[in-house]
Amino acid sequence: MISSKLKEYVISGRLDGLLMAECAVSPERLAEKKERIANAVDSFIAIYGDREAYLFSVGGRSEISGNHTDHNRGRVLCAAVDLDIIAVASPTDDKAVTVKSEGFDADTVLESEIWEPIEERKFSSSAIIAGMERAFSDRGLNIGGFCAYTVSDVLKGSGLSSSAAFEVMIGNILNHLYNDGTVSNVEIAKMAQFSENVYFGKPCGLMDQTACAVGGFISIDFNDPKEPVIEKQDFDLSGAGYDLCIIDTGGNHADLNEDYASVPSEMKAVAAYFGKEVLRSVSEEDIIASAVDIREKLGDRCLLRALHFMGENKRVEKQALALKEGDVQAFFDNVIASGLSSYRYLQNVYTVKNVSEQGLSLALCLCERFLCDKGGAWRVHGGGFAGTVQAFVPKAYTSQFKSYMEKVFNKGSCHVLSVRRGGAMRLV
């Protein structure tokens, strides 16, 4: 469809049903969403001309349970959210990929630049683009040039995985422009992980990319990282009467690399004690039986973090079953238990380098005080140490909860989200 006609298609309301059903756009926010898309089309036309184009969407994600388990081949529960990246894209004949994202300079990647990682491009969006094209090519899939304009409301630094959503978006575009949409979203997620690990330079797990790509609530078992077991949970959080809130505490992420790295390394140190690569290959019983020696050789925190891993794996199974059975209270009980384990045993709620700054601890305290007699649940969100907490809030109290939290963490710090059913998709 010609770009200008694409805009008319959106404004006329012909996309409304899909946006509400698959992208969790509420009737109250529908006009805002359509305006955002229309503005993206206008920007595309201003840069590339009024040409044949397609419209794509990929949501961000929220970790629900399985805090710091994927890097030791554990289980996780996560969900796609209604904040998303929108892309307007058009195929080109020159085999180059040019992506202009709102607020950033355009990135152009030539076909000759995709075959090996370029050191100077690490930690850039152009590295992600090159890595995705290489991943498609390595699988014998078609690749080609395209021009695109993207807009995103996936919050950076919020634990909602803006980088994973961008990776999946590049794969989503390649899938529909050059492979007739035949590549599964799970496969796109695996290619996105390759792009981030090898080309971008970040040794991430597969949870973020899979949640963004697949959509809805999903449980993932990483016991076999090459073939993770992914199960979609058919649960309607909004229909059950709850909103998903992410509270940004405004914490300082500087100098936290050592804190983040210590979690997987200490877990793997316990695994290595037993001659294994990861904790998934070790039993809880063996850890308890060897606790005295582990304490002496590795220290108490390593042991505590290993026991957190064991407990989280069990909780993910219980939560997935609770969602299947529609047992909201059992689900919430385990959300809270996950958060308590992260606080007490994983110890990723604040950094010991700066104990005077404990925004996550304060946010969790406030969540508990507000929600303890109203229902719902709360926990640390994502990697921890600074950043965000997560709360499931009864809709009747969402407005009050938002005001309550923003009195402490500033206006706009509490983001009210919905779980998005659809994964990576072409809208038009």
Side-chain angles (χ1 to χ4, degrees), residues 263 266-267 270 279 284 287-288 291 294-295 298-312 315 340-347:
V263 177
E266 289 185 9
M267 288 183 179
V270 176
L279 277 178
E284 185 173 354
I287 291 174
I288 295 295
I294 293 172
R295 292 185 68 195
L298 300 176
D300 289 341
R301 193 172 72 172
C302 287
L303 179 58
L304 285 165
R305 285 175 164 173
L307 292 174
H308 163 82
F309 173 91
M310 298 298 167
E312 279 289 89
R315 275 186 287 275
L340 288 173
S341 181
S342 294
Y343 207 152
R344 297 167 176 169
Y345 313 135
L346 182 62
Q347 298 180 30

PDB file of all heavy atoms in Angstrom, residues 263 266-267 270 279 284 287-288 291 294-295 298-312 315 340-347:
ATOM      1  N   VAL A 263      25.926 -11.802  39.944  1.00  0.00           N
ATOM      2  CA  VAL A 263      24.831 -12.753  40.148  1.00  0.00           C
ATOM      3  C   VAL A 263      25.058 -14.040  39.358  1.00  0.00           C
ATOM      4  O   VAL A 263      25.138 -15.133  39.943  1.00  0.00           O
ATOM      5  CB  VAL A 263      23.471 -12.118  39.812  1.00  0.00           C
ATOM      6  CG1 VAL A 263      22.364 -13.156  39.954  1.00  0.00           C
ATOM      7  CG2 VAL A 263      23.190 -10.930  40.714  1.00  0.00           C
ATOM      8  N   GLU A 266      28.384 -15.871  40.545  1.00  0.00           N
ATOM      9  CA  GLU A 266      28.331 -16.571  41.826  1.00  0.00           C
ATOM     10  C   GLU A 266      27.469 -17.829  41.747  1.00  0.00           C
ATOM     11  O   GLU A 266      27.780 -18.843  42.375  1.00  0.00           O
ATOM     12  CB  GLU A 266      27.828 -15.625  42.917  1.00  0.00           C
ATOM     13  CG  GLU A 266      28.857 -14.552  43.264  1.00  0.00           C
ATOM     14  CD  GLU A 266      28.437 -13.662  44.424  1.00  0.00           C
ATOM     15  OE1 GLU A 266      27.421 -13.973  45.084  1.00  0.00           O
ATOM     16  OE2 GLU A 266      29.133 -12.659  44.680  1.00  0.00           O
ATOM     17  N   MET A 267      26.395 -17.758  40.978  1.00  0.00           N
ATOM     18  CA  MET A 267      25.594 -18.970  40.767  1.00  0.00           C
ATOM     19  C   MET A 267      26.419 -20.043  40.061  1.00  0.00           C
ATOM     20  O   MET A 267      26.400 -21.225  40.433  1.00  0.00           O
ATOM     21  CB  MET A 267      24.346 -18.641  39.942  1.00  0.00           C
ATOM     22  CG  MET A 267      23.283 -17.858  40.690  1.00  0.00           C
ATOM     23  SD  MET A 267      21.830 -17.605  39.630  1.00  0.00           S
ATOM     24  CE  MET A 267      20.742 -16.714  40.740  1.00  0.00           C
ATOM     25  N   VAL A 270      28.905 -21.913  42.235  1.00  0.00           N
ATOM     26  CA  VAL A 270      28.335 -23.049  42.970  1.00  0.00           C
ATOM     27  C   VAL A 270      28.189 -24.249  42.041  1.00  0.00           C
ATOM     28  O   VAL A 270      28.474 -25.391  42.429  1.00  0.00           O
ATOM     29  CB  VAL A 270      26.985 -22.662  43.601  1.00  0.00           C
ATOM     30  CG1 VAL A 270      26.340 -23.869  44.286  1.00  0.00           C
ATOM     31  CG2 VAL A 270      27.168 -21.537  44.612  1.00  0.00           C
ATOM     32  N   LEU A 279      23.717 -23.997  37.189  1.00  0.00           N
ATOM     33  CA  LEU A 279      22.989 -24.528  38.339  1.00  0.00           C
ATOM     34  C   LEU A 279      21.867 -25.482  37.960  1.00  0.00           C
ATOM     35  O   LEU A 279      21.470 -26.329  38.765  1.00  0.00           O
ATOM     36  CB  LEU A 279      22.407 -23.378  39.161  1.00  0.00           C
ATOM     37  CG  LEU A 279      23.341 -22.707  40.165  1.00  0.00           C
ATOM     38  CD1 LEU A 279      22.632 -21.560  40.862  1.00  0.00           C
ATOM     39  CD2 LEU A 279      23.864 -23.709  41.194  1.00  0.00           C
ATOM     40  N   GLU A 284      18.944 -29.284  44.361  1.00  0.00           N
ATOM     41  CA  GLU A 284      18.873 -28.537  45.617  1.00  0.00           C
ATOM     42  C   GLU A 284      19.364 -29.379  46.784  1.00  0.00           C
ATOM     43  O   GLU A 284      20.021 -28.874  47.708  1.00  0.00           O
ATOM     44  CB  GLU A 284      17.439 -28.077  45.860  1.00  0.00           C
ATOM     45  CG  GLU A 284      17.276 -27.195  47.069  1.00  0.00           C
ATOM     46  CD  GLU A 284      15.876 -26.611  47.187  1.00  0.00           C
ATOM     47  OE1 GLU A 284      15.064 -26.797  46.259  1.00  0.00           O
ATOM     48  OE2 GLU A 284      15.610 -25.957  48.212  1.00  0.00           O
ATOM     49  N   ILE A 287      23.076 -29.283  47.041  1.00  0.00           N
ATOM     50  CA  ILE A 287      23.548 -27.995  47.554  1.00  0.00           C
ATOM     51  C   ILE A 287      23.419 -27.944  49.075  1.00  0.00           C
ATOM     52  O   ILE A 287      24.357 -27.539  49.783  1.00  0.00           O
ATOM     53  CB  ILE A 287      22.761 -26.837  46.903  1.00  0.00           C
ATOM     54  CG1 ILE A 287      23.135 -26.723  45.415  1.00  0.00           C
ATOM     55  CG2 ILE A 287      23.050 -25.521  47.616  1.00  0.00           C
ATOM     56  CD1 ILE A 287      22.310 -25.702  44.655  1.00  0.00           C
ATOM     57  N   ILE A 288      22.260 -28.361  49.589  1.00  0.00           N
ATOM     58  CA  ILE A 288      22.053 -28.354  51.041  1.00  0.00           C
ATOM     59  C   ILE A 288      23.032 -29.303  51.724  1.00  0.00           C
ATOM     60  O   ILE A 288      23.624 -28.963  52.773  1.00  0.00           O
ATOM     61  CB  ILE A 288      20.607 -28.742  51.380  1.00  0.00           C
ATOM     62  CG1 ILE A 288      19.618 -27.685  50.855  1.00  0.00           C
ATOM     63  CG2 ILE A 288      20.438 -28.937  52.886  1.00  0.00           C
ATOM     64  CD1 ILE A 288      19.756 -26.333  51.501  1.00  0.00           C
ATOM     65  N   ALA A 291      26.369 -27.619  52.024  1.00  0.00           N
ATOM     66  CA  ALA A 291      26.281 -26.215  52.403  1.00  0.00           C
ATOM     67  C   ALA A 291      27.461 -25.754  53.248  1.00  0.00           C
ATOM     68  O   ALA A 291      27.990 -24.652  53.050  1.00  0.00           O
ATOM     69  CB  ALA A 291      24.966 -25.951  53.137  1.00  0.00           C
ATOM     70  N   ILE A 294      30.471 -25.329  50.972  1.00  0.00           N
ATOM     71  CA  ILE A 294      30.255 -24.212  50.046  1.00  0.00           C
ATOM     72  C   ILE A 294      30.435 -22.883  50.773  1.00  0.00           C
ATOM     73  O   ILE A 294      31.061 -21.950  50.256  1.00  0.00           O
ATOM     74  CB  ILE A 294      28.849 -24.288  49.404  1.00  0.00           C
ATOM     75  CG1 ILE A 294      28.754 -25.503  48.476  1.00  0.00           C
ATOM     76  CG2 ILE A 294      28.534 -23.014  48.620  1.00  0.00           C
ATOM     77  CD1 ILE A 294      27.358 -25.772  47.945  1.00  0.00           C
ATOM     78  N   ARG A 295      29.900 -22.773  51.994  1.00  0.00           N
ATOM     79  CA  ARG A 295      30.063 -21.548  52.780  1.00  0.00           C
ATOM     80  C   ARG A 295      31.542 -21.233  52.988  1.00  0.00           C
ATOM     81  O   ARG A 295      31.973 -20.083  52.863  1.00  0.00           O
ATOM     82  CB  ARG A 295      29.385 -21.696  54.141  1.00  0.00           C
ATOM     83  CG  ARG A 295      27.885 -21.775  54.106  1.00  0.00           C
ATOM     84  CD  ARG A 295      27.316 -21.807  55.519  1.00  0.00           C
ATOM     85  NE  ARG A 295      27.541 -20.517  56.186  1.00  0.00           N
ATOM     86  CZ  ARG A 295      27.415 -20.338  57.494  1.00  0.00           C
ATOM     87  NH1 ARG A 295      27.102 -21.365  58.288  1.00  0.00           N
ATOM     88  NH2 ARG A 295      27.607 -19.144  58.018  1.00  0.00           N
ATOM     89  N   LEU A 298      33.174 -20.662  49.144  1.00  0.00           N
ATOM     90  CA  LEU A 298      32.614 -19.659  48.242  1.00  0.00           C
ATOM     91  C   LEU A 298      31.927 -18.505  48.963  1.00  0.00           C
ATOM     92  O   LEU A 298      31.721 -17.443  48.375  1.00  0.00           O
ATOM     93  CB  LEU A 298      31.615 -20.308  47.276  1.00  0.00           C
ATOM     94  CG  LEU A 298      32.163 -21.421  46.371  1.00  0.00           C
ATOM     95  CD1 LEU A 298      31.040 -22.031  45.546  1.00  0.00           C
ATOM     96  CD2 LEU A 298      33.268 -20.891  45.475  1.00  0.00           C
ATOM     97  N   GLY A 299      31.542 -18.706  50.207  1.00  0.00           N
ATOM     98  CA  GLY A 299      30.863 -17.660  50.960  1.00  0.00           C
ATOM     99  C   GLY A 299      29.358 -17.833  50.984  1.00  0.00           C
ATOM    100  O   GLY A 299      28.776 -18.553  50.163  1.00  0.00           O
ATOM    101  N   ASP A 300      28.732 -17.151  51.922  1.00  0.00           N
ATOM    102  CA  ASP A 300      27.291 -17.312  52.131  1.00  0.00           C
ATOM    103  C   ASP A 300      26.448 -16.776  50.972  1.00  0.00           C
ATOM    104  O   ASP A 300      25.412 -17.344  50.633  1.00  0.00           O
ATOM    105  CB  ASP A 300      26.873 -16.603  53.419  1.00  0.00           C
ATOM    106  CG  ASP A 300      27.362 -17.326  54.663  1.00  0.00           C
ATOM    107  OD1 ASP A 300      27.693 -18.514  54.557  1.00  0.00           O
ATOM    108  OD2 ASP A 300      27.413 -16.685  55.728  1.00  0.00           O
ATOM    109  N   ARG A 301      26.860 -15.657  50.378  1.00  0.00           N
ATOM    110  CA  ARG A 301      26.029 -15.064  49.327  1.00  0.00           C
ATOM    111  C   ARG A 301      25.913 -15.991  48.120  1.00  0.00           C
ATOM    112  O   ARG A 301      24.836 -16.094  47.518  1.00  0.00           O
ATOM    113  CB  ARG A 301      26.551 -13.694  48.903  1.00  0.00           C
ATOM    114  CG  ARG A 301      25.535 -12.919  48.061  1.00  0.00           C
ATOM    115  CD  ARG A 301      25.962 -11.490  47.801  1.00  0.00           C
ATOM    116  NE  ARG A 301      27.072 -11.410  46.854  1.00  0.00           N
ATOM    117  CZ  ARG A 301      27.530 -10.279  46.340  1.00  0.00           C
ATOM    118  NH1 ARG A 301      26.983  -9.118  46.708  1.00  0.00           N
ATOM    119  NH2 ARG A 301      28.542 -10.276  45.492  1.00  0.00           N
ATOM    120  N   CYS A 302      26.985 -16.647  47.747  1.00  0.00           N
ATOM    121  CA  CYS A 302      26.916 -17.613  46.644  1.00  0.00           C
ATOM    122  C   CYS A 302      25.884 -18.693  46.941  1.00  0.00           C
ATOM    123  O   CYS A 302      25.083 -19.079  46.074  1.00  0.00           O
ATOM    124  CB  CYS A 302      28.284 -18.261  46.415  1.00  0.00           C
ATOM    125  SG  CYS A 302      29.506 -17.193  45.636  1.00  0.00           S
ATOM    126  N   LEU A 303      25.915 -19.190  48.172  1.00  0.00           N
ATOM    127  CA  LEU A 303      24.976 -20.236  48.565  1.00  0.00           C
ATOM    128  C   LEU A 303      23.536 -19.716  48.536  1.00  0.00           C
ATOM    129  O   LEU A 303      22.635 -20.381  48.022  1.00  0.00           O
ATOM    130  CB  LEU A 303      25.332 -20.742  49.968  1.00  0.00           C
ATOM    131  CG  LEU A 303      24.442 -21.834  50.568  1.00  0.00           C
ATOM    132  CD1 LEU A 303      24.411 -23.061  49.675  1.00  0.00           C
ATOM    133  CD2 LEU A 303      24.941 -22.197  51.967  1.00  0.00           C
ATOM    134  N   LEU A 304      23.315 -18.521  49.065  1.00  0.00           N
ATOM    135  CA  LEU A 304      21.975 -17.935  49.061  1.00  0.00           C
ATOM    136  C   LEU A 304      21.456 -17.731  47.641  1.00  0.00           C
ATOM    137  O   LEU A 304      20.281 -18.002  47.342  1.00  0.00           O
ATOM    138  CB  LEU A 304      21.995 -16.599  49.803  1.00  0.00           C
ATOM    139  CG  LEU A 304      22.076 -16.672  51.334  1.00  0.00           C
ATOM    140  CD1 LEU A 304      22.451 -15.312  51.904  1.00  0.00           C
ATOM    141  CD2 LEU A 304      20.755 -17.154  51.915  1.00  0.00           C
ATOM    142  N   ARG A 305      22.308 -17.240  46.759  1.00  0.00           N
ATOM    143  CA  ARG A 305      21.876 -17.007  45.378  1.00  0.00           C
ATOM    144  C   ARG A 305      21.560 -18.317  44.659  1.00  0.00           C
ATOM    145  O   ARG A 305      20.634 -18.382  43.845  1.00  0.00           O
ATOM    146  CB  ARG A 305      22.945 -16.198  44.631  1.00  0.00           C
ATOM    147  CG  ARG A 305      22.934 -14.723  45.039  1.00  0.00           C
ATOM    148  CD  ARG A 305      24.037 -13.887  44.428  1.00  0.00           C
ATOM    149  NE  ARG A 305      23.714 -12.464  44.560  1.00  0.00           N
ATOM    150  CZ  ARG A 305      24.522 -11.476  44.244  1.00  0.00           C
ATOM    151  NH1 ARG A 305      25.738 -11.728  43.757  1.00  0.00           N
ATOM    152  NH2 ARG A 305      24.146 -10.213  44.394  1.00  0.00           N
ATOM    153  N   ALA A 306      22.313 -19.361  44.957  1.00  0.00           N
ATOM    154  CA  ALA A 306      22.021 -20.670  44.372  1.00  0.00           C
ATOM    155  C   ALA A 306      20.666 -21.184  44.852  1.00  0.00           C
ATOM    156  O   ALA A 306      19.881 -21.747  44.066  1.00  0.00           O
ATOM    157  CB  ALA A 306      23.126 -21.660  44.724  1.00  0.00           C
ATOM    158  N   LEU A 307      20.362 -20.986  46.147  1.00  0.00           N
ATOM    159  CA  LEU A 307      19.079 -21.441  46.677  1.00  0.00           C
ATOM    160  C   LEU A 307      17.927 -20.595  46.132  1.00  0.00           C
ATOM    161  O   LEU A 307      16.817 -21.106  45.935  1.00  0.00           O
ATOM    162  CB  LEU A 307      19.116 -21.408  48.205  1.00  0.00           C
ATOM    163  CG  LEU A 307      20.074 -22.435  48.841  1.00  0.00           C
ATOM    164  CD1 LEU A 307      20.165 -22.236  50.333  1.00  0.00           C
ATOM    165  CD2 LEU A 307      19.635 -23.865  48.513  1.00  0.00           C
ATOM    166  N   HIS A 308      18.176 -19.307  45.871  1.00  0.00           N
ATOM    167  CA  HIS A 308      17.163 -18.483  45.189  1.00  0.00           C
ATOM    168  C   HIS A 308      16.833 -19.084  43.827  1.00  0.00           C
ATOM    169  O   HIS A 308      15.650 -19.198  43.461  1.00  0.00           O
ATOM    170  CB  HIS A 308      17.667 -17.052  45.004  1.00  0.00           C
ATOM    171  CG  HIS A 308      16.886 -16.278  43.984  1.00  0.00           C
ATOM    172  ND1 HIS A 308      15.691 -15.659  44.256  1.00  0.00           N
ATOM    173  CD2 HIS A 308      17.129 -16.059  42.652  1.00  0.00           C
ATOM    174  CE1 HIS A 308      15.225 -15.076  43.150  1.00  0.00           C
ATOM    175  NE2 HIS A 308      16.079 -15.308  42.174  1.00  0.00           N
ATOM    176  N   PHE A 309      17.855 -19.457  43.079  1.00  0.00           N
ATOM    177  CA  PHE A 309      17.649 -20.046  41.754  1.00  0.00           C
ATOM    178  C   PHE A 309      16.738 -21.271  41.850  1.00  0.00           C
ATOM    179  O   PHE A 309      15.798 -21.429  41.061  1.00  0.00           O
ATOM    180  CB  PHE A 309      18.996 -20.427  41.141  1.00  0.00           C
ATOM    181  CG  PHE A 309      18.892 -21.192  39.844  1.00  0.00           C
ATOM    182  CD1 PHE A 309      18.872 -20.524  38.636  1.00  0.00           C
ATOM    183  CD2 PHE A 309      18.813 -22.581  39.833  1.00  0.00           C
ATOM    184  CE1 PHE A 309      18.762 -21.217  37.439  1.00  0.00           C
ATOM    185  CE2 PHE A 309      18.709 -23.287  38.642  1.00  0.00           C
ATOM    186  CZ  PHE A 309      18.684 -22.596  37.440  1.00  0.00           C
ATOM    187  N   MET A 310      17.011 -22.142  42.809  1.00  0.00           N
ATOM    188  CA  MET A 310      16.216 -23.363  42.959  1.00  0.00           C
ATOM    189  C   MET A 310      14.757 -23.028  43.268  1.00  0.00           C
ATOM    190  O   MET A 310      13.833 -23.612  42.699  1.00  0.00           O
ATOM    191  CB  MET A 310      16.805 -24.231  44.076  1.00  0.00           C
ATOM    192  CG  MET A 310      18.218 -24.710  43.813  1.00  0.00           C
ATOM    193  SD  MET A 310      18.299 -25.774  42.338  1.00  0.00           S
ATOM    194  CE  MET A 310      20.088 -25.836  42.055  1.00  0.00           C
ATOM    195  N   GLY A 311      14.542 -22.061  44.160  1.00  0.00           N
ATOM    196  CA  GLY A 311      13.182 -21.683  44.505  1.00  0.00           C
ATOM    197  C   GLY A 311      12.437 -21.020  43.367  1.00  0.00           C
ATOM    198  O   GLY A 311      11.244 -21.273  43.156  1.00  0.00           O
ATOM    199  N   GLU A 312      13.121 -20.166  42.613  1.00  0.00           N
ATOM    200  CA  GLU A 312      12.483 -19.483  41.484  1.00  0.00           C
ATOM    201  C   GLU A 312      12.016 -20.466  40.426  1.00  0.00           C
ATOM    202  O   GLU A 312      10.934 -20.310  39.845  1.00  0.00           O
ATOM    203  CB  GLU A 312      13.451 -18.475  40.857  1.00  0.00           C
ATOM    204  CG  GLU A 312      13.564 -17.155  41.575  1.00  0.00           C
ATOM    205  CD  GLU A 312      12.334 -16.288  41.436  1.00  0.00           C
ATOM    206  OE1 GLU A 312      11.432 -16.425  42.283  1.00  0.00           O
ATOM    207  OE2 GLU A 312      12.247 -15.475  40.503  1.00  0.00           O
ATOM    208  N   ARG A 315       8.812 -21.829  41.556  1.00  0.00           N
ATOM    209  CA  ARG A 315       7.746 -20.827  41.517  1.00  0.00           C
ATOM    210  C   ARG A 315       7.211 -20.606  40.108  1.00  0.00           C
ATOM    211  O   ARG A 315       6.011 -20.422  39.910  1.00  0.00           O
ATOM    212  CB  ARG A 315       8.241 -19.504  42.100  1.00  0.00           C
ATOM    213  CG  ARG A 315       8.118 -19.418  43.609  1.00  0.00           C
ATOM    214  CD  ARG A 315       8.485 -18.042  44.122  1.00  0.00           C
ATOM    215  NE  ARG A 315       9.922 -17.806  44.061  1.00  0.00           N
ATOM    216  CZ  ARG A 315      10.773 -18.172  45.006  1.00  0.00           C
ATOM    217  NH1 ARG A 315      10.345 -18.807  46.078  1.00  0.00           N
ATOM    218  NH2 ARG A 315      12.056 -17.910  44.887  1.00  0.00           N
ATOM    219  N   LEU A 340      10.258 -11.489  47.427  1.00  0.00           N
ATOM    220  CA  LEU A 340      10.910 -11.673  48.723  1.00  0.00           C
ATOM    221  C   LEU A 340      12.211 -12.453  48.581  1.00  0.00           C
ATOM    222  O   LEU A 340      13.219 -12.137  49.230  1.00  0.00           O
ATOM    223  CB  LEU A 340       9.961 -12.386  49.688  1.00  0.00           C
ATOM    224  CG  LEU A 340       8.781 -11.553  50.199  1.00  0.00           C
ATOM    225  CD1 LEU A 340       7.829 -12.424  51.003  1.00  0.00           C
ATOM    226  CD2 LEU A 340       9.270 -10.383  51.043  1.00  0.00           C
ATOM    227  N   SER A 341      12.207 -13.464  47.733  1.00  0.00           N
ATOM    228  CA  SER A 341      13.423 -14.239  47.511  1.00  0.00           C
ATOM    229  C   SER A 341      14.506 -13.383  46.862  1.00  0.00           C
ATOM    230  O   SER A 341      15.688 -13.474  47.216  1.00  0.00           O
ATOM    231  CB  SER A 341      13.120 -15.462  46.628  1.00  0.00           C
ATOM    232  OG  SER A 341      14.273 -16.245  46.421  1.00  0.00           O
ATOM    233  N   SER A 342      14.106 -12.532  45.923  1.00  0.00           N
ATOM    234  CA  SER A 342      15.075 -11.631  45.294  1.00  0.00           C
ATOM    235  C   SER A 342      15.681 -10.689  46.328  1.00  0.00           C
ATOM    236  O   SER A 342      16.888 -10.410  46.303  1.00  0.00           O
ATOM    237  CB  SER A 342      14.399 -10.815  44.187  1.00  0.00           C
ATOM    238  OG  SER A 342      13.978 -11.648  43.126  1.00  0.00           O
ATOM    239  N   TYR A 343      14.842 -10.203  47.219  1.00  0.00           N
ATOM    240  CA  TYR A 343      15.316  -9.265  48.253  1.00  0.00           C
ATOM    241  C   TYR A 343      16.246  -9.963  49.257  1.00  0.00           C
ATOM    242  O   TYR A 343      17.351  -9.489  49.545  1.00  0.00           O
ATOM    243  CB  TYR A 343      14.093  -8.693  48.982  1.00  0.00           C
ATOM    244  CG  TYR A 343      14.280  -7.320  49.578  1.00  0.00           C
ATOM    245  CD1 TYR A 343      13.194  -6.465  49.740  1.00  0.00           C
ATOM    246  CD2 TYR A 343      15.526  -6.854  49.996  1.00  0.00           C
ATOM    247  CE1 TYR A 343      13.331  -5.200  50.283  1.00  0.00           C
ATOM    248  CE2 TYR A 343      15.676  -5.592  50.541  1.00  0.00           C
ATOM    249  CZ  TYR A 343      14.586  -4.774  50.688  1.00  0.00           C
ATOM    250  OH  TYR A 343      14.735  -3.520  51.224  1.00  0.00           O
ATOM    251  N   ARG A 344      15.812 -11.107  49.764  1.00  0.00           N
ATOM    252  CA  ARG A 344      16.523 -11.741  50.871  1.00  0.00           C
ATOM    253  C   ARG A 344      17.712 -12.588  50.430  1.00  0.00           C
ATOM    254  O   ARG A 344      18.767 -12.584  51.081  1.00  0.00           O
ATOM    255  CB  ARG A 344      15.560 -12.638  51.647  1.00  0.00           C
ATOM    256  CG  ARG A 344      14.412 -11.911  52.316  1.00  0.00           C
ATOM    257  CD  ARG A 344      13.370 -12.916  52.768  1.00  0.00           C
ATOM    258  NE  ARG A 344      12.272 -12.295  53.507  1.00  0.00           N
ATOM    259  CZ  ARG A 344      11.144 -12.947  53.818  1.00  0.00           C
ATOM    260  NH1 ARG A 344      10.973 -14.203  53.444  1.00  0.00           N
ATOM    261  NH2 ARG A 344      10.190 -12.324  54.491  1.00  0.00           N
ATOM    262  N   TYR A 345      17.522 -13.351  49.356  1.00  0.00           N
ATOM    263  CA  TYR A 345      18.505 -14.367  48.994  1.00  0.00           C
ATOM    264  C   TYR A 345      19.332 -13.992  47.767  1.00  0.00           C
ATOM    265  O   TYR A 345      20.553 -14.083  47.783  1.00  0.00           O
ATOM    266  CB  TYR A 345      17.811 -15.719  48.783  1.00  0.00           C
ATOM    267  CG  TYR A 345      16.854 -16.071  49.886  1.00  0.00           C
ATOM    268  CD1 TYR A 345      15.585 -16.575  49.613  1.00  0.00           C
ATOM    269  CD2 TYR A 345      17.197 -15.867  51.228  1.00  0.00           C
ATOM    270  CE1 TYR A 345      14.698 -16.884  50.634  1.00  0.00           C
ATOM    271  CE2 TYR A 345      16.317 -16.181  52.254  1.00  0.00           C
ATOM    272  CZ  TYR A 345      15.057 -16.682  51.947  1.00  0.00           C
ATOM    273  OH  TYR A 345      14.179 -16.969  52.952  1.00  0.00           O
ATOM    274  N   LEU A 346      18.659 -13.544  46.690  1.00  0.00           N
ATOM    275  CA  LEU A 346      19.387 -13.079  45.508  1.00  0.00           C
ATOM    276  C   LEU A 346      20.110 -11.768  45.811  1.00  0.00           C
ATOM    277  O   LEU A 346      21.193 -11.505  45.303  1.00  0.00           O
ATOM    278  CB  LEU A 346      18.413 -12.900  44.341  1.00  0.00           C
ATOM    279  CG  LEU A 346      19.009 -12.471  43.003  1.00  0.00           C
ATOM    280  CD1 LEU A 346      19.992 -13.516  42.486  1.00  0.00           C
ATOM    281  CD2 LEU A 346      17.918 -12.215  41.979  1.00  0.00           C
ATOM    282  N   GLN A 347      19.498 -10.931  46.629  1.00  0.00           N
ATOM    283  CA  GLN A 347      20.091  -9.676  47.101  1.00  0.00           C
ATOM    284  C   GLN A 347      20.439  -8.721  45.946  1.00  0.00           C
ATOM    285  O   GLN A 347      21.565  -8.242  45.828  1.00  0.00           O
ATOM    286  CB  GLN A 347      21.326  -9.959  47.965  1.00  0.00           C
ATOM    287  CG  GLN A 347      20.994 -10.764  49.220  1.00  0.00           C
ATOM    288  CD  GLN A 347      22.189 -11.070  50.087  1.00  0.00           C
ATOM    289  OE1 GLN A 347      23.146 -10.309  50.129  1.00  0.00           O
ATOM    290  NE2 GLN A 347      22.139 -12.206  50.784  1.00  0.00           N
TER     291      GLN A 347
END
